[in-house]
Amino acid sequence: MNAGWRTELAAARPALGQLQARIDAVLAGGAVSVAATGRCAASLAPLPVVARHHPGACILWLDAHGDLNTPETSGSGDLGGMALSGPAGLWKTGLGAGLCPGQIILAGSRDLDPAERDLTGRHAIPVIPPGADMAAALRSAIAGRPVYVHLDCDALRPGIVPTGYAVEGGLSLDELNACARVIAEHRLPGLEIAEFEAAWKEGGRPVSPGPLLEALAPLLQA
């Protein structure tokens, strides 16, 4: 249920502050940050920290959505739809910013709002749709930079894992693995996995994260 971005941000702020402090400590120690963040809105916390510790890194946003709306452009008022725009300084979250548009790569994207399409066009943000050429396009867009990876499970085809949202199209696990192999060619400051549900809504059948983690193995073993 969407309670509105102000209400959601106020309720989440203590937990987001704790997450931000933890990611800051991990990156300050020179380690790779790996997190299961639940909802995309949690990215409001780590991304400003990544921008500070790894200013040359690109942010690979593997997601069916752009999450580049702001309080002014969002039609739904959903905080998760603003998860990337806040760290990019497009609105003030109270958790910091520091990213520039040139660091952002959208991949697996297939449900962008008009304002997001306008933004990606104005700032030349790469938008890489799912498909057979996706891994090669990623290599070109990353261009040798370190890569911080955000994976929203709705980047995958519906039915592979349960997620809060489902958008037709998307990656297979094999295609995700091919992308992971390309990403693993580069330095990896961190990986966050969002929107993985523990069970299917219909019937409540539990789901193992094993196949998803297998697809991501090149990153987890890097």
Side-chain angles (χ1 to χ4, degrees):
M1 181 177 178
N2 176 13
W5 70 269
R6 287 185 179 86
T7 300
E8 292 176 346
L9 182 56
R13 191 175 298 278
L16 291 175
Q18 292 175 355
L19 175 61
Q20 192 166 63
R22 177 57 182 159
I23 300 293
D24 190 18
V26 169
L27 295 182
V32 174
S33 170
V34 178
T37 58
R39 300 300 181 200
C40 286
S43 296
L44 293 167
L47 292 182
V49 178
V50 174
R52 178 158 46 84
H53 285 284
H54 297 279
C58 62
I59 307 301
L60 177 55
W61 199 257
L62 278 162
D63 196 315
H65 307 91
D67 294 342
L68 282 167
N69 278 308
T70 68
E72 289 72 33
T73 65
S74 174
S76 67
D78 179 33
L79 185 63
M82 310 176 197
L84 184 53
S85 60
L90 300 181
W91 64 287
K92 292 184 178 180
T93 69
L95 293 161
L99 295 182
C100 67
Q103 291 175 266
I104 297 171
I105 302 170
L106 301 184
S109 310
R110 53 199 188 277
D111 189 13
L112 300 184
D113 292 333
E116 293 176 312
R117 292 190 182 280
D118 177 68
L119 183 72
T120 58
R122 282 190 288 113
H123 293 285
I125 295 173
V127 180
I128 303 173
D133 299 329
M134 185 174 174
L138 275 182
R139 182 180 286 110
S140 177
I142 293 169
R145 294 174 290 176
V147 190
Y148 184 87
V149 180
H150 165 92
L151 171 64
D152 181 333
C153 290
D154 71 13
L156 300 170
R157 294 174 189 165
I160 295 177
V161 298
T163 64
Y165 300 91
V167 181
E168 288 304 314
L171 289 77
S172 68
L173 288 176
D174 285 343
E175 289 167 336
L176 178 61
N177 181 257
C179 292
R181 291 198 304 270
V182 166
I183 297 165
E185 298 170 3
H186 307 79
R187 185 181 177 193
L188 183 75
L191 164 68
E192 57 186 42
I193 302 171
E195 304 288 346
F196 180 89
E197 302 283 345
W200 294 101
K201 289 182 181 178
E202 295 182 4
R205 179 168 52 90
V207 177
S208 168
L212 177 64
L213 296 178
E214 264 187 52
L216 294 171
L219 302 183
L220 299 174
Q221 297 167 358

